[in-house]
């Protein structure tokens, strides 16, 4: 990593303001994340204007905290990596402009990083695994299978055609009267529910291919809920539990089967010596889904690597690491904020692949 031993990573693409210091030997010297969930909770989703202001107000504090935690002075920073997309424009601009100022002050290199590359390269930071491997990214704004061939070489094997699974969890939480973000609340409710009571669909499982869809599932759940409300005048706790369990089981079935197909394609095309399925994104925190993915990977002879929660959800250590990995290829990269930025530019644009992703 010539000239760039310690990299400062900056992340502000959605609703987490984050700064981290990582070195070229995969050491995370500090990683600070200021979440904004409480600011957006009253609105039931991320409000871009509120997010942008919060990033602008907190980025400097976040960097100062990352330096204190690492016990370093600003002069120890060899390079800066900043998320330049995809994401919400206001937040991206806050991060990019802050990074430009800081890099000018420190006279150090500044690298634009694709947020999705940050997620996709995380297993190399945590476990140092070799290319190629298969990454399943499941978060609030993205859902895709990526064959990760190199630091800047990705092939999208499949993607959602509409909602991301985290988004579906959040919408279902709202339908059931739970808070935001909804994933953990739905999972909690599902633990005591009967997943077989309501017949919810498994979208696109009857069709070949690896693409996914989750919005029909959410609509089916709404219809079932409305029928119950009409018949009973409201929802019992038991109903909520069973709806949550039914929804989670449907997502597990869809992700499990699509993963099985993606592993088969990856195996056939890359014949990796030590096949690995890596999983990242906030939805990876779901234990039922994690268990389903582990089982599928095991059957296919793949090792399953689920990122630890702090590195599975949005953070800046992954951005710093992606910067270090991609440094050689980014010397002349223009530093502009890009709200849409698919990793695989050869693949057809899809909502869940970075074309319109507010979250990643
Ligand atoms: O990766 P992340 O922190 O942010 C981005 O979307 O970039 O993911 C957040 C998403 C939210 O939609 C949240 O509801 C979902 O991950 N999530 C979960 C769980 N924990 C978080 N979904 C299902 N089960 C969970 N336990
Ligand atoms: Zn993300």
């Amino acid at each position: 990593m010539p000239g760039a031993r310690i990299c400062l990573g900056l992340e502000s693409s959605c609703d987490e303001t984050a700064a981290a210091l990582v070195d070229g030997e995969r050491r995370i010297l500090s990683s600070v994340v200021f979440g904004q969930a409480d600011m957006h909770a009253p609105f039931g989703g991320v409000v871009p204007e509120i997010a942008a202001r919060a990033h602008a107000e907190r980025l400097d504090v976040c960097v100062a905290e990352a330096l204190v935690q690492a016990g370093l002075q600003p002069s120890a920073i060899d390079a800066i990596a900043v998320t330049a997309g995809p994401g919400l424009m206001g937040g991206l601009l806050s991060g990019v402009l802050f990074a430009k100022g800081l890099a000018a002050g420190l006279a150090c290199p500044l690298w634009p990083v694709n947020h999705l590359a940050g997620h996709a390269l995380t297993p190399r930071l945590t476990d140092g695994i070799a290319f190629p491997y298969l990454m399943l990214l499941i978060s609030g704004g993205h859902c895709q299978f990526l064959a990760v061939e190199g630091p800047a070489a990705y092939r999208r094997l499949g993607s959602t055609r509409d909602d991301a699974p985290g988004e579906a969890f959040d919408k279902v939480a709202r339908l059931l009267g739970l808070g935001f973000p909804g994933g953990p609340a739905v999972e909690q409710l599902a633990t005591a529910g009967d997943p077989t009571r309501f017949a919810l669909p498994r979208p696109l499982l009857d069709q070949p291919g690896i693409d996914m869809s989750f919005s029909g599932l959410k609509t089916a759940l709404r219809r079932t809920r409305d029928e119950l409300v009409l018949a009973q005048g409201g929802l019992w706790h038991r109903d909520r539990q069973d709806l949550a369990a039914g929804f989670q089981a449907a997502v597990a079935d869809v992700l499990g089967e699509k993963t099985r197909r993606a592993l088969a394609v990856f195996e056939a095309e890359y014949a990796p010596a030590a096949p690995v399925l890596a999983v990242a994104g906030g939805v990876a925190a779901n234990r039922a889904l994690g268990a389903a993915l582990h089982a599928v990977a095991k059957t296919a002879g793949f090792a399953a690597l689920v990122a630890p929660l702090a590195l599975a959800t949005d953070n800046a250590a992954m951005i710093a690491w992606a910067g270090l990995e991609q440094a050689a290829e980014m010397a002349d990269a223009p530093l502009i904020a890009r709200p849409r930025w698919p990793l695989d530019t050869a693949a057809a644009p899809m909502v869940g692949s970075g074309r319109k992703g507010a979250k990643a």
Side-chain angles (χ1 to χ4, degrees):
M1 232 50 69
R5 231 177 66 80
I6 296 181
C7 181
L8 169 69
L10 298 170
E11 159 62 34
S12 59
S13 66
C14 190
D15 60 346
E16 264 95 24
T17 312
L21 289 154
V22 175
D23 74 13
E25 260 110 62
R26 298 176 30 221
R27 279 187 291 251
I28 300 174
L29 309 175
S30 62
S31 181
V32 179
V33 179
F34 291 167
Q36 304 174 358
D38 50 338
M39 298 181 184
H40 303 290
F43 305 95
V46 178
V47 183
E49 175 68 20
I50 293 175
R53 282 168 184 253
H55 289 307
E57 282 168 11
R58 297 162 152 200
L59 269 162
D60 55 343
V61 188
C62 207
V63 170
E65 180 66 27
L67 284 165
V68 168
Q69 284 190 14
L72 294 173
Q73 296 296 318
S75 56
I77 297 170
D78 294 310
I80 299 174
V82 62
T83 301
L88 297 171
M89 194 51 162
L92 293 173
L93 280 175
S94 300
V96 165
L97 293 179
F98 178 84
K100 284 193 182 200
L102 191 56
L106 294 173
C108 70
L110 174 56
W111 301 319
V113 168
N114 183 311
H115 179 91
L116 301 172
H119 282 301
L121 295 170
T122 296
R124 289 180 46 83
L125 169 62
T126 55
D127 294 79
I129 63 170
F131 297 115
Y133 52 92
L134 185 71
M135 156 70 51
L136 169 60
L137 177 57
I138 36 176
S139 73
H142 288 272
C143 177
Q144 46 190 296
F145 289 102
L146 290 167
V148 185
E149 300 173 350
Y154 306 91
R155 260 188 63 217
R156 198 187 68 209
L157 302 182
S159 176
T160 182
R161 293 184 182 173
D162 39 57
D163 291 352
E167 193 177 0
F169 267 94
D170 293 336
K171 287 177 179 170
V172 163
R174 221 184 308 176
L175 288 171
L176 298 180
L178 308 168
F180 171 85
V186 172
E187 176 174 18
Q188 171 64 25
L189 203 55
T191 49
D194 172 5
T196 61
R197 177 171 157 207
F198 300 109
L200 294 168
R202 269 63 177 160
L204 294 187
L205 272 203
D206 53 345
Q207 291 177 35
I210 304 176
D211 285 342
M212 291 156 282
S213 163
F214 295 99
S215 92
L217 178 55
K218 167 206 68 198
T219 308
L221 185 128
R222 174 188 287 130
R223 208 175 310 120
T224 311
R225 181 203 66 165
D226 290 349
E227 282 163 12
L228 280 172
V229 171
L230 204 63
Q232 310 174 161
L235 286 184
W236 296 102
H237 187 58
R238 181 83 231 164
D239 300 328
R240 285 203 173 81
Q241 290 174 321
D242 294 344
L243 284 166
F247 166 77
Q248 187 171 275
V251 175
D253 282 355
V254 171
L255 282 177
E257 172 58 18
K258 295 293 178 173
T259 300
R260 192 190 64 71
R261 295 181 197 178
L263 294 176
V265 169
F266 182 79
E267 176 89 61
E269 295 192 12
Y270 294 89
V276 176
L277 166 70
V279 188
V283 181
N286 186 292
R287 273 156 295 177
L289 298 181
L293 295 172
H294 266 102
V296 170
K298 195 169 173 209
T299 307
F302 277 62
L305 208 60
V306 180
L309 194 57
L311 294 173
T313 55
D314 287 352
N315 67 89
M318 69 178 190
I319 303 303
W321 176 250
L324 288 164
E325 285 245 63
Q326 299 180 333
E329 304 173 49
M330 286 196 304
D332 301 318
L335 187 46
I336 47 165
R338 300 177 59 180
R340 294 175 185 185
W341 186 3
L343 272 184
D344 179 352
T345 44
M350 288 185 99
V351 169
S353 61
R355 176 176 154 257
K356 199 188 137 204
K359 300 189 82 183

